[in-house]
Amino acid sequence: MNSRKRSGSGIFLMEMIMVCGFFLLCAAVCIRVFVRSDAMSRLAREKNQAVLAAESLAETWKVKGMTGLGEGRPEKLTSAGGETHDVLFFDQDWKVLDETGSGEKNLAEEAFFIAELTLGKDVSFDGMEYLNLVFRRGGAHPYCQEKDKDGQLLTLYSLQVKQWIRQGGDSDGKE
């Protein structure tokens, strides 16, 4: 009879491999959770900044009109279908980028954030004017191609502001 004693180290080695595999799986799940939470935190911070910038632009528009939004850039405004369009470009610190010396195409690629402004008159109410503000990530942002659930480029914030225009074109409400 051939009776050999086995040491049992093979079973111990298999158990250690399974424990290491379990810990690797747990580490992968934890890393994924931390990466996702970082992305959510970054997006929340960007949306908060977009809200603040939109509120600031809306209040400036109520006081100074469309020319106050672009610091005297009426030549940049384009009109189509009774609406006036403009685009503002921001750096990563939400400071408006200067457009002198560079084309709008280059500026769109250098900007971290873009604000699209649309000014028009509300046809349902005579004397009502509106301003639509839409904030998106610019071409320099590392996540500029991020899409929402519908497959569209991610919109950070959108705001529509309305105000009454006095007779004679005075939009600040003063007589």
PDB file of all heavy atoms in Angstrom, residues 81-121:
ATOM      1  N   GLY A  81     -34.550  85.606 -36.772  1.00  0.00           N
ATOM      2  CA  GLY A  81     -35.930  85.322 -36.376  1.00  0.00           C
ATOM      3  C   GLY A  81     -36.438  86.179 -35.240  1.00  0.00           C
ATOM      4  O   GLY A  81     -37.182  85.699 -34.396  1.00  0.00           O
ATOM      5  N   GLY A  82     -36.040  87.435 -35.178  1.00  0.00           N
ATOM      6  CA  GLY A  82     -36.508  88.324 -34.116  1.00  0.00           C
ATOM      7  C   GLY A  82     -35.769  88.137 -32.802  1.00  0.00           C
ATOM      8  O   GLY A  82     -36.117  88.751 -31.810  1.00  0.00           O
ATOM      9  N   GLU A  83     -34.757  87.282 -32.773  1.00  0.00           N
ATOM     10  CA  GLU A  83     -33.971  87.068 -31.563  1.00  0.00           C
ATOM     11  C   GLU A  83     -32.543  87.550 -31.779  1.00  0.00           C
ATOM     12  O   GLU A  83     -32.032  87.529 -32.890  1.00  0.00           O
ATOM     13  CB  GLU A  83     -33.941  85.580 -31.188  1.00  0.00           C
ATOM     14  CG  GLU A  83     -35.288  85.033 -30.776  1.00  0.00           C
ATOM     15  CD  GLU A  83     -35.206  83.571 -30.378  1.00  0.00           C
ATOM     16  OE1 GLU A  83     -34.287  82.874 -30.858  1.00  0.00           O
ATOM     17  OE2 GLU A  83     -36.054  83.135 -29.601  1.00  0.00           O
ATOM     18  N   THR A  84     -31.920  87.980 -30.709  1.00  0.00           N
ATOM     19  CA  THR A  84     -30.524  88.397 -30.741  1.00  0.00           C
ATOM     20  C   THR A  84     -29.708  87.355 -29.991  1.00  0.00           C
ATOM     21  O   THR A  84     -30.076  86.964 -28.884  1.00  0.00           O
ATOM     22  CB  THR A  84     -30.368  89.775 -30.077  1.00  0.00           C
ATOM     23  OG1 THR A  84     -31.237  90.695 -30.716  1.00  0.00           O
ATOM     24  CG2 THR A  84     -28.946  90.271 -30.190  1.00  0.00           C
ATOM     25  N   HIS A  85     -28.613  86.905 -30.599  1.00  0.00           N
ATOM     26  CA  HIS A  85     -27.784  85.855 -30.012  1.00  0.00           C
ATOM     27  C   HIS A  85     -26.398  86.388 -29.706  1.00  0.00           C
ATOM     28  O   HIS A  85     -25.867  87.210 -30.443  1.00  0.00           O
ATOM     29  CB  HIS A  85     -27.662  84.664 -30.971  1.00  0.00           C
ATOM     30  CG  HIS A  85     -28.974  84.069 -31.352  1.00  0.00           C
ATOM     31  ND1 HIS A  85     -29.619  83.159 -30.560  1.00  0.00           N
ATOM     32  CD2 HIS A  85     -29.774  84.268 -32.422  1.00  0.00           C
ATOM     33  CE1 HIS A  85     -30.761  82.812 -31.139  1.00  0.00           C
ATOM     34  NE2 HIS A  85     -30.869  83.487 -32.279  1.00  0.00           N
ATOM     35  N   ASP A  86     -25.821  85.877 -28.630  1.00  0.00           N
ATOM     36  CA  ASP A  86     -24.460  86.218 -28.259  1.00  0.00           C
ATOM     37  C   ASP A  86     -23.868  85.021 -27.512  1.00  0.00           C
ATOM     38  O   ASP A  86     -24.601  84.173 -27.006  1.00  0.00           O
ATOM     39  CB  ASP A  86     -24.428  87.463 -27.372  1.00  0.00           C
ATOM     40  CG  ASP A  86     -23.030  88.069 -27.252  1.00  0.00           C
ATOM     41  OD1 ASP A  86     -22.108  87.596 -27.941  1.00  0.00           O
ATOM     42  OD2 ASP A  86     -22.859  89.014 -26.466  1.00  0.00           O
ATOM     43  N   VAL A  87     -22.564  84.954 -27.463  1.00  0.00           N
ATOM     44  CA  VAL A  87     -21.870  83.881 -26.765  1.00  0.00           C
ATOM     45  C   VAL A  87     -20.782  84.511 -25.898  1.00  0.00           C
ATOM     46  O   VAL A  87     -20.041  85.375 -26.357  1.00  0.00           O
ATOM     47  CB  VAL A  87     -21.234  82.882 -27.757  1.00  0.00           C
ATOM     48  CG1 VAL A  87     -20.501  81.781 -27.017  1.00  0.00           C
ATOM     49  CG2 VAL A  87     -22.272  82.295 -28.681  1.00  0.00           C
ATOM     50  N   LEU A  88     -20.725  84.091 -24.644  1.00  0.00           N
ATOM     51  CA  LEU A  88     -19.656  84.518 -23.750  1.00  0.00           C
ATOM     52  C   LEU A  88     -18.798  83.301 -23.422  1.00  0.00           C
ATOM     53  O   LEU A  88     -19.313  82.201 -23.227  1.00  0.00           O
ATOM     54  CB  LEU A  88     -20.224  85.102 -22.450  1.00  0.00           C
ATOM     55  CG  LEU A  88     -20.951  86.428 -22.570  1.00  0.00           C
ATOM     56  CD1 LEU A  88     -21.534  86.827 -21.227  1.00  0.00           C
ATOM     57  CD2 LEU A  88     -20.016  87.509 -23.067  1.00  0.00           C
ATOM     58  N   PHE A  89     -17.489  83.502 -23.338  1.00  0.00           N
ATOM     59  CA  PHE A  89     -16.557  82.418 -23.065  1.00  0.00           C
ATOM     60  C   PHE A  89     -15.894  82.668 -21.720  1.00  0.00           C
ATOM     61  O   PHE A  89     -15.501  83.788 -21.410  1.00  0.00           O
ATOM     62  CB  PHE A  89     -15.495  82.342 -24.162  1.00  0.00           C
ATOM     63  CG  PHE A  89     -16.078  82.145 -25.525  1.00  0.00           C
ATOM     64  CD1 PHE A  89     -16.244  83.211 -26.396  1.00  0.00           C
ATOM     65  CD2 PHE A  89     -16.504  80.890 -25.933  1.00  0.00           C
ATOM     66  CE1 PHE A  89     -16.795  83.039 -27.646  1.00  0.00           C
ATOM     67  CE2 PHE A  89     -17.053  80.703 -27.185  1.00  0.00           C
ATOM     68  CZ  PHE A  89     -17.204  81.778 -28.047  1.00  0.00           C
ATOM     69  N   PHE A  90     -15.763  81.604 -20.933  1.00  0.00           N
ATOM     70  CA  PHE A  90     -15.189  81.709 -19.593  1.00  0.00           C
ATOM     71  C   PHE A  90     -13.977  80.784 -19.468  1.00  0.00           C
ATOM     72  O   PHE A  90     -13.935  79.723 -20.084  1.00  0.00           O
ATOM     73  CB  PHE A  90     -16.221  81.290 -18.529  1.00  0.00           C
ATOM     74  CG  PHE A  90     -17.429  82.163 -18.481  1.00  0.00           C
ATOM     75  CD1 PHE A  90     -18.531  81.898 -19.272  1.00  0.00           C
ATOM     76  CD2 PHE A  90     -17.477  83.251 -17.640  1.00  0.00           C
ATOM     77  CE1 PHE A  90     -19.658  82.693 -19.234  1.00  0.00           C
ATOM     78  CE2 PHE A  90     -18.597  84.058 -17.581  1.00  0.00           C
ATOM     79  CZ  PHE A  90     -19.693  83.779 -18.391  1.00  0.00           C
ATOM     80  N   ASP A  91     -13.025  81.197 -18.622  1.00  0.00           N
ATOM     81  CA  ASP A  91     -11.890  80.316 -18.329  1.00  0.00           C
ATOM     82  C   ASP A  91     -12.272  79.383 -17.175  1.00  0.00           C
ATOM     83  O   ASP A  91     -13.415  79.370 -16.732  1.00  0.00           O
ATOM     84  CB  ASP A  91     -10.628  81.124 -18.028  1.00  0.00           C
ATOM     85  CG  ASP A  91     -10.736  81.983 -16.775  1.00  0.00           C
ATOM     86  OD1 ASP A  91     -11.756  81.881 -16.055  1.00  0.00           O
ATOM     87  OD2 ASP A  91      -9.801  82.754 -16.505  1.00  0.00           O
ATOM     88  N   GLN A  92     -11.312  78.618 -16.670  1.00  0.00           N
ATOM     89  CA  GLN A  92     -11.625  77.641 -15.636  1.00  0.00           C
ATOM     90  C   GLN A  92     -11.978  78.281 -14.304  1.00  0.00           C
ATOM     91  O   GLN A  92     -12.569  77.629 -13.436  1.00  0.00           O
ATOM     92  CB  GLN A  92     -10.477  76.657 -15.450  1.00  0.00           C
ATOM     93  CG  GLN A  92      -9.186  77.289 -15.013  1.00  0.00           C
ATOM     94  CD  GLN A  92      -8.042  76.308 -15.082  1.00  0.00           C
ATOM     95  OE1 GLN A  92      -8.134  75.286 -15.754  1.00  0.00           O
ATOM     96  NE2 GLN A  92      -6.963  76.595 -14.398  1.00  0.00           N
ATOM     97  N   ASP A  93     -11.658  79.570 -14.118  1.00  0.00           N
ATOM     98  CA  ASP A  93     -12.012  80.293 -12.899  1.00  0.00           C
ATOM     99  C   ASP A  93     -13.272  81.143 -13.078  1.00  0.00           C
ATOM    100  O   ASP A  93     -13.549  82.016 -12.268  1.00  0.00           O
ATOM    101  CB  ASP A  93     -10.854  81.195 -12.462  1.00  0.00           C
ATOM    102  CG  ASP A  93      -9.622  80.398 -12.107  1.00  0.00           C
ATOM    103  OD1 ASP A  93      -9.768  79.297 -11.535  1.00  0.00           O
ATOM    104  OD2 ASP A  93      -8.508  80.866 -12.417  1.00  0.00           O
ATOM    105  N   TRP A  94     -14.004  80.915 -14.167  1.00  0.00           N
ATOM    106  CA  TRP A  94     -15.255  81.610 -14.494  1.00  0.00           C
ATOM    107  C   TRP A  94     -15.040  83.105 -14.718  1.00  0.00           C
ATOM    108  O   TRP A  94     -15.890  83.917 -14.416  1.00  0.00           O
ATOM    109  CB  TRP A  94     -16.320  81.358 -13.429  1.00  0.00           C
ATOM    110  CG  TRP A  94     -16.859  79.974 -13.516  1.00  0.00           C
ATOM    111  CD1 TRP A  94     -16.401  78.883 -12.858  1.00  0.00           C
ATOM    112  CD2 TRP A  94     -17.941  79.519 -14.332  1.00  0.00           C
ATOM    113  NE1 TRP A  94     -17.134  77.781 -13.215  1.00  0.00           N
ATOM    114  CE2 TRP A  94     -18.087  78.141 -14.114  1.00  0.00           C
ATOM    115  CE3 TRP A  94     -18.800  80.145 -15.237  1.00  0.00           C
ATOM    116  CZ2 TRP A  94     -19.052  77.385 -14.758  1.00  0.00           C
ATOM    117  CZ3 TRP A  94     -19.761  79.390 -15.860  1.00  0.00           C
ATOM    118  CH2 TRP A  94     -19.878  78.018 -15.611  1.00  0.00           C
ATOM    119  N   LYS A  95     -13.907  83.460 -15.252  1.00  0.00           N
ATOM    120  CA  LYS A  95     -13.656  84.841 -15.681  1.00  0.00           C
ATOM    121  C   LYS A  95     -13.920  84.908 -17.181  1.00  0.00           C
ATOM    122  O   LYS A  95     -13.532  84.014 -17.928  1.00  0.00           O
ATOM    123  CB  LYS A  95     -12.211  85.232 -15.400  1.00  0.00           C
ATOM    124  CG  LYS A  95     -11.786  85.057 -13.964  1.00  0.00           C
ATOM    125  CD  LYS A  95     -11.769  86.371 -13.263  1.00  0.00           C
ATOM    126  CE  LYS A  95     -11.153  86.302 -11.889  1.00  0.00           C
ATOM    127  NZ  LYS A  95     -11.876  85.597 -10.897  1.00  0.00           N
ATOM    128  N   VAL A  96     -14.590  85.984 -17.634  1.00  0.00           N
ATOM    129  CA  VAL A  96     -14.901  86.135 -19.052  1.00  0.00           C
ATOM    130  C   VAL A  96     -13.610  86.319 -19.832  1.00  0.00           C
ATOM    131  O   VAL A  96     -12.762  87.139 -19.468  1.00  0.00           O
ATOM    132  CB  VAL A  96     -15.852  87.336 -19.289  1.00  0.00           C
ATOM    133  CG1 VAL A  96     -16.121  87.532 -20.766  1.00  0.00           C
ATOM    134  CG2 VAL A  96     -17.156  87.150 -18.539  1.00  0.00           C
ATOM    135  N   LEU A  97     -13.443  85.524 -20.893  1.00  0.00           N
ATOM    136  CA  LEU A  97     -12.248  85.616 -21.729  1.00  0.00           C
ATOM    137  C   LEU A  97     -12.340  86.813 -22.658  1.00  0.00           C
ATOM    138  O   LEU A  97     -13.405  87.103 -23.207  1.00  0.00           O
ATOM    139  CB  LEU A  97     -12.068  84.339 -22.551  1.00  0.00           C
ATOM    140  CG  LEU A  97     -11.740  83.080 -21.761  1.00  0.00           C
ATOM    141  CD1 LEU A  97     -11.713  81.878 -22.689  1.00  0.00           C
ATOM    142  CD2 LEU A  97     -10.417  83.216 -21.042  1.00  0.00           C
ATOM    143  N   ASP A  98     -11.219  87.471 -22.858  1.00  0.00           N
ATOM    144  CA  ASP A  98     -11.136  88.622 -23.750  1.00  0.00           C
ATOM    145  C   ASP A  98     -11.079  88.125 -25.188  1.00  0.00           C
ATOM    146  O   ASP A  98     -10.302  87.231 -25.512  1.00  0.00           O
ATOM    147  CB  ASP A  98      -9.894  89.443 -23.416  1.00  0.00           C
ATOM    148  CG  ASP A  98      -9.824  90.728 -24.203  1.00  0.00           C
ATOM    149  OD1 ASP A  98     -10.874  91.166 -24.727  1.00  0.00           O
ATOM    150  OD2 ASP A  98      -8.726  91.297 -24.298  1.00  0.00           O
ATOM    151  N   GLU A  99     -11.875  88.711 -26.056  1.00  0.00           N
ATOM    152  CA  GLU A  99     -11.975  88.255 -27.445  1.00  0.00           C
ATOM    153  C   GLU A  99     -11.086  89.029 -28.403  1.00  0.00           C
ATOM    154  O   GLU A  99     -11.094  88.758 -29.585  1.00  0.00           O
ATOM    155  CB  GLU A  99     -13.428  88.351 -27.929  1.00  0.00           C
ATOM    156  CG  GLU A  99     -14.335  87.425 -27.183  1.00  0.00           C
ATOM    157  CD  GLU A  99     -15.737  87.451 -27.725  1.00  0.00           C
ATOM    158  OE1 GLU A  99     -15.921  87.808 -28.890  1.00  0.00           O
ATOM    159  OE2 GLU A  99     -16.637  87.114 -26.978  1.00  0.00           O
ATOM    160  N   THR A 100     -10.319  89.966 -27.906  1.00  0.00           N
ATOM    161  CA  THR A 100      -9.486  90.752 -28.809  1.00  0.00           C
ATOM    162  C   THR A 100      -8.294  89.921 -29.269  1.00  0.00           C
ATOM    163  O   THR A 100      -7.626  89.275 -28.485  1.00  0.00           O
ATOM    164  CB  THR A 100      -8.981  92.025 -28.109  1.00  0.00           C
ATOM    165  OG1 THR A 100      -8.266  91.648 -26.937  1.00  0.00           O
ATOM    166  CG2 THR A 100     -10.107  92.952 -27.763  1.00  0.00           C
ATOM    167  N   GLY A 101      -8.055  89.917 -30.570  1.00  0.00           N
ATOM    168  CA  GLY A 101      -6.902  89.243 -31.131  1.00  0.00           C
ATOM    169  C   GLY A 101      -7.110  87.777 -31.470  1.00  0.00           C
ATOM    170  O   GLY A 101      -6.265  87.164 -32.073  1.00  0.00           O
ATOM    171  N   SER A 102      -8.215  87.187 -31.052  1.00  0.00           N
ATOM    172  CA  SER A 102      -8.444  85.773 -31.392  1.00  0.00           C
ATOM    173  C   SER A 102      -9.855  85.625 -31.928  1.00  0.00           C
ATOM    174  O   SER A 102     -10.774  86.281 -31.476  1.00  0.00           O
ATOM    175  CB  SER A 102      -8.236  84.882 -30.176  1.00  0.00           C
ATOM    176  OG  SER A 102      -9.188  85.172 -29.189  1.00  0.00           O
ATOM    177  N   GLY A 103      -9.994  84.748 -32.882  1.00  0.00           N
ATOM    178  CA  GLY A 103     -11.303  84.517 -33.471  1.00  0.00           C
ATOM    179  C   GLY A 103     -12.213  83.770 -32.520  1.00  0.00           C
ATOM    180  O   GLY A 103     -11.776  83.164 -31.547  1.00  0.00           O
ATOM    181  N   GLU A 104     -13.520  83.811 -32.835  1.00  0.00           N
ATOM    182  CA  GLU A 104     -14.491  83.152 -31.963  1.00  0.00           C
ATOM    183  C   GLU A 104     -14.295  81.637 -31.971  1.00  0.00           C
ATOM    184  O   GLU A 104     -14.511  80.971 -30.969  1.00  0.00           O
ATOM    185  CB  GLU A 104     -15.904  83.519 -32.405  1.00  0.00           C
ATOM    186  CG  GLU A 104     -16.966  83.108 -31.414  1.00  0.00           C
ATOM    187  CD  GLU A 104     -18.310  83.684 -31.746  1.00  0.00           C
ATOM    188  OE1 GLU A 104     -18.406  84.895 -31.963  1.00  0.00           O
ATOM    189  OE2 GLU A 104     -19.272  82.891 -31.771  1.00  0.00           O
ATOM    190  N   LYS A 105     -13.847  81.081 -33.098  1.00  0.00           N
ATOM    191  CA  LYS A 105     -13.616  79.637 -33.201  1.00  0.00           C
ATOM    192  C   LYS A 105     -12.506  79.213 -32.247  1.00  0.00           C
ATOM    193  O   LYS A 105     -12.631  78.231 -31.523  1.00  0.00           O
ATOM    194  CB  LYS A 105     -13.261  79.288 -34.652  1.00  0.00           C
ATOM    195  CG  LYS A 105     -13.137  77.837 -34.907  1.00  0.00           C
ATOM    196  CD  LYS A 105     -14.470  77.243 -35.184  1.00  0.00           C
ATOM    197  CE  LYS A 105     -14.292  75.872 -35.805  1.00  0.00           C
ATOM    198  NZ  LYS A 105     -15.493  75.140 -35.858  1.00  0.00           N
ATOM    199  N   ASN A 106     -11.390  79.971 -32.232  1.00  0.00           N
ATOM    200  CA  ASN A 106     -10.286  79.658 -31.331  1.00  0.00           C
ATOM    201  C   ASN A 106     -10.696  79.841 -29.883  1.00  0.00           C
ATOM    202  O   ASN A 106     -10.296  79.070 -29.022  1.00  0.00           O
ATOM    203  CB  ASN A 106      -9.071  80.534 -31.637  1.00  0.00           C
ATOM    204  CG  ASN A 106      -8.457  80.201 -32.976  1.00  0.00           C
ATOM    205  OD1 ASN A 106      -8.642  79.105 -33.505  1.00  0.00           O
ATOM    206  ND2 ASN A 106      -7.744  81.157 -33.535  1.00  0.00           N
ATOM    207  N   LEU A 107     -11.474  80.868 -29.611  1.00  0.00           N
ATOM    208  CA  LEU A 107     -11.907  81.144 -28.254  1.00  0.00           C
ATOM    209  C   LEU A 107     -12.819  80.037 -27.738  1.00  0.00           C
ATOM    210  O   LEU A 107     -12.754  79.676 -26.559  1.00  0.00           O
ATOM    211  CB  LEU A 107     -12.624  82.492 -28.209  1.00  0.00           C
ATOM    212  CG  LEU A 107     -12.584  83.248 -26.894  1.00  0.00           C
ATOM    213  CD1 LEU A 107     -11.159  83.378 -26.390  1.00  0.00           C
ATOM    214  CD2 LEU A 107     -13.188  84.603 -27.054  1.00  0.00           C
ATOM    215  N   ALA A 108     -13.654  79.475 -28.598  1.00  0.00           N
ATOM    216  CA  ALA A 108     -14.527  78.375 -28.192  1.00  0.00           C
ATOM    217  C   ALA A 108     -13.714  77.142 -27.816  1.00  0.00           C
ATOM    218  O   ALA A 108     -14.120  76.372 -26.949  1.00  0.00           O
ATOM    219  CB  ALA A 108     -15.505  78.039 -29.312  1.00  0.00           C
ATOM    220  N   GLU A 109     -12.566  76.953 -28.449  1.00  0.00           N
ATOM    221  CA  GLU A 109     -11.708  75.815 -28.127  1.00  0.00           C
ATOM    222  C   GLU A 109     -10.858  76.076 -26.887  1.00  0.00           C
ATOM    223  O   GLU A 109     -10.462  75.147 -26.202  1.00  0.00           O
ATOM    224  CB  GLU A 109     -10.810  75.492 -29.314  1.00  0.00           C
ATOM    225  CG  GLU A 109     -11.581  74.985 -30.516  1.00  0.00           C
ATOM    226  CD  GLU A 109     -10.724  74.878 -31.771  1.00  0.00           C
ATOM    227  OE1 GLU A 109      -9.508  75.156 -31.692  1.00  0.00           O
ATOM    228  OE2 GLU A 109     -11.280  74.508 -32.817  1.00  0.00           O
ATOM    229  N   GLU A 110     -10.587  77.333 -26.576  1.00  0.00           N
ATOM    230  CA  GLU A 110      -9.781  77.694 -25.414  1.00  0.00           C
ATOM    231  C   GLU A 110     -10.626  77.831 -24.150  1.00  0.00           C
ATOM    232  O   GLU A 110     -10.091  77.784 -23.048  1.00  0.00           O
ATOM    233  CB  GLU A 110      -9.070  79.020 -25.656  1.00  0.00           C
ATOM    234  CG  GLU A 110      -8.046  78.983 -26.757  1.00  0.00           C
ATOM    235  CD  GLU A 110      -7.510  80.366 -27.088  1.00  0.00           C
ATOM    236  OE1 GLU A 110      -7.866  81.329 -26.394  1.00  0.00           O
ATOM    237  OE2 GLU A 110      -6.745  80.472 -28.061  1.00  0.00           O
ATOM    238  N   ALA A 111     -11.917  78.011 -24.297  1.00  0.00           N
ATOM    239  CA  ALA A 111     -12.794  78.270 -23.157  1.00  0.00           C
ATOM    240  C   ALA A 111     -13.110  76.990 -22.395  1.00  0.00           C
ATOM    241  O   ALA A 111     -13.276  75.925 -22.975  1.00  0.00           O
ATOM    242  CB  ALA A 111     -14.093  78.909 -23.641  1.00  0.00           C
ATOM    243  N   PHE A 112     -13.205  77.116 -21.080  1.00  0.00           N
ATOM    244  CA  PHE A 112     -13.626  75.999 -20.246  1.00  0.00           C
ATOM    245  C   PHE A 112     -15.144  75.921 -20.175  1.00  0.00           C
ATOM    246  O   PHE A 112     -15.712  74.840 -20.096  1.00  0.00           O
ATOM    247  CB  PHE A 112     -13.051  76.143 -18.838  1.00  0.00           C
ATOM    248  CG  PHE A 112     -11.827  75.326 -18.601  1.00  0.00           C
ATOM    249  CD1 PHE A 112     -10.639  75.631 -19.236  1.00  0.00           C
ATOM    250  CD2 PHE A 112     -11.862  74.240 -17.758  1.00  0.00           C
ATOM    251  CE1 PHE A 112      -9.513  74.885 -19.032  1.00  0.00           C
ATOM    252  CE2 PHE A 112     -10.740  73.469 -17.547  1.00  0.00           C
ATOM    253  CZ  PHE A 112      -9.555  73.791 -18.184  1.00  0.00           C
ATOM    254  N   PHE A 113     -15.795  77.099 -20.198  1.00  0.00           N
ATOM    255  CA  PHE A 113     -17.248  77.159 -20.123  1.00  0.00           C
ATOM    256  C   PHE A 113     -17.758  78.165 -21.143  1.00  0.00           C
ATOM    257  O   PHE A 113     -17.093  79.157 -21.432  1.00  0.00           O
ATOM    258  CB  PHE A 113     -17.702  77.551 -18.711  1.00  0.00           C
ATOM    259  CG  PHE A 113     -17.166  76.635 -17.650  1.00  0.00           C
ATOM    260  CD1 PHE A 113     -16.079  76.997 -16.887  1.00  0.00           C
ATOM    261  CD2 PHE A 113     -17.746  75.400 -17.439  1.00  0.00           C
ATOM    262  CE1 PHE A 113     -15.568  76.154 -15.919  1.00  0.00           C
ATOM    263  CE2 PHE A 113     -17.250  74.544 -16.474  1.00  0.00           C
ATOM    264  CZ  PHE A 113     -16.153  74.923 -15.717  1.00  0.00           C
ATOM    265  N   ILE A 114     -18.958  77.905 -21.671  1.00  0.00           N
ATOM    266  CA  ILE A 114     -19.564  78.761 -22.690  1.00  0.00           C
ATOM    267  C   ILE A 114     -20.980  79.107 -22.242  1.00  0.00           C
ATOM    268  O   ILE A 114     -21.728  78.233 -21.799  1.00  0.00           O
ATOM    269  CB  ILE A 114     -19.612  78.048 -24.052  1.00  0.00           C
ATOM    270  CG1 ILE A 114     -18.200  77.737 -24.546  1.00  0.00           C
ATOM    271  CG2 ILE A 114     -20.362  78.875 -25.077  1.00  0.00           C
ATOM    272  CD1 ILE A 114     -18.156  76.892 -25.798  1.00  0.00           C
ATOM    273  N   ALA A 115     -21.326  80.379 -22.377  1.00  0.00           N
ATOM    274  CA  ALA A 115     -22.686  80.834 -22.104  1.00  0.00           C
ATOM    275  C   ALA A 115     -23.303  81.321 -23.405  1.00  0.00           C
ATOM    276  O   ALA A 115     -22.761  82.207 -24.054  1.00  0.00           O
ATOM    277  CB  ALA A 115     -22.689  81.964 -21.079  1.00  0.00           C
ATOM    278  N   GLU A 116     -24.412  80.710 -23.798  1.00  0.00           N
ATOM    279  CA  GLU A 116     -25.139  81.130 -24.993  1.00  0.00           C
ATOM    280  C   GLU A 116     -26.314  81.996 -24.539  1.00  0.00           C
ATOM    281  O   GLU A 116     -27.134  81.565 -23.735  1.00  0.00           O
ATOM    282  CB  GLU A 116     -25.640  79.902 -25.752  1.00  0.00           C
ATOM    283  CG  GLU A 116     -24.515  79.002 -26.224  1.00  0.00           C
ATOM    284  CD  GLU A 116     -25.008  77.662 -26.721  1.00  0.00           C
ATOM    285  OE1 GLU A 116     -26.240  77.435 -26.718  1.00  0.00           O
ATOM    286  OE2 GLU A 116     -24.161  76.840 -27.089  1.00  0.00           O
ATOM    287  N   LEU A 117     -26.383  83.216 -25.059  1.00  0.00           N
ATOM    288  CA  LEU A 117     -27.403  84.175 -24.676  1.00  0.00           C
ATOM    289  C   LEU A 117     -28.337  84.416 -25.852  1.00  0.00           C
ATOM    290  O   LEU A 117     -27.874  84.619 -26.974  1.00  0.00           O
ATOM    291  CB  LEU A 117     -26.764  85.505 -24.270  1.00  0.00           C
ATOM    292  CG  LEU A 117     -25.906  85.517 -23.023  1.00  0.00           C
ATOM    293  CD1 LEU A 117     -24.546  84.947 -23.277  1.00  0.00           C
ATOM    294  CD2 LEU A 117     -25.789  86.922 -22.495  1.00  0.00           C
ATOM    295  N   THR A 118     -29.622  84.393 -25.597  1.00  0.00           N
ATOM    296  CA  THR A 118     -30.623  84.667 -26.624  1.00  0.00           C
ATOM    297  C   THR A 118     -31.608  85.676 -26.061  1.00  0.00           C
ATOM    298  O   THR A 118     -32.240  85.433 -25.035  1.00  0.00           O
ATOM    299  CB  THR A 118     -31.378  83.379 -27.028  1.00  0.00           C
ATOM    300  OG1 THR A 118     -30.428  82.392 -27.411  1.00  0.00           O
ATOM    301  CG2 THR A 118     -32.334  83.649 -28.157  1.00  0.00           C
ATOM    302  N   LEU A 119     -31.742  86.802 -26.750  1.00  0.00           N
ATOM    303  CA  LEU A 119     -32.643  87.869 -26.330  1.00  0.00           C
ATOM    304  C   LEU A 119     -33.759  87.982 -27.354  1.00  0.00           C
ATOM    305  O   LEU A 119     -33.519  87.961 -28.558  1.00  0.00           O
ATOM    306  CB  LEU A 119     -31.882  89.192 -26.248  1.00  0.00           C
ATOM    307  CG  LEU A 119     -32.687  90.428 -25.881  1.00  0.00           C
ATOM    308  CD1 LEU A 119     -33.147  90.348 -24.441  1.00  0.00           C
ATOM    309  CD2 LEU A 119     -31.863  91.670 -26.105  1.00  0.00           C
ATOM    310  N   GLY A 120     -34.983  88.081 -26.876  1.00  0.00           N
ATOM    311  CA  GLY A 120     -36.113  88.211 -27.786  1.00  0.00           C
ATOM    312  C   GLY A 120     -37.308  88.843 -27.104  1.00  0.00           C
ATOM    313  O   GLY A 120     -37.303  89.107 -25.907  1.00  0.00           O
ATOM    314  N   LYS A 121     -38.354  89.048 -27.878  1.00  0.00           N
ATOM    315  CA  LYS A 121     -39.594  89.616 -27.352  1.00  0.00           C
ATOM    316  C   LYS A 121     -40.628  88.499 -27.254  1.00  0.00           C
ATOM    317  O   LYS A 121     -40.767  87.690 -28.152  1.00  0.00           O
ATOM    318  CB  LYS A 121     -40.094  90.732 -28.255  1.00  0.00           C
ATOM    319  CG  LYS A 121     -39.107  91.872 -28.358  1.00  0.00           C
ATOM    320  CD  LYS A 121     -39.787  93.133 -28.778  1.00  0.00           C
ATOM    321  CE  LYS A 121     -38.834  94.261 -28.966  1.00  0.00           C
ATOM    322  NZ  LYS A 121     -38.118  94.693 -27.832  1.00  0.00           N
TER     323      LYS A 121
END
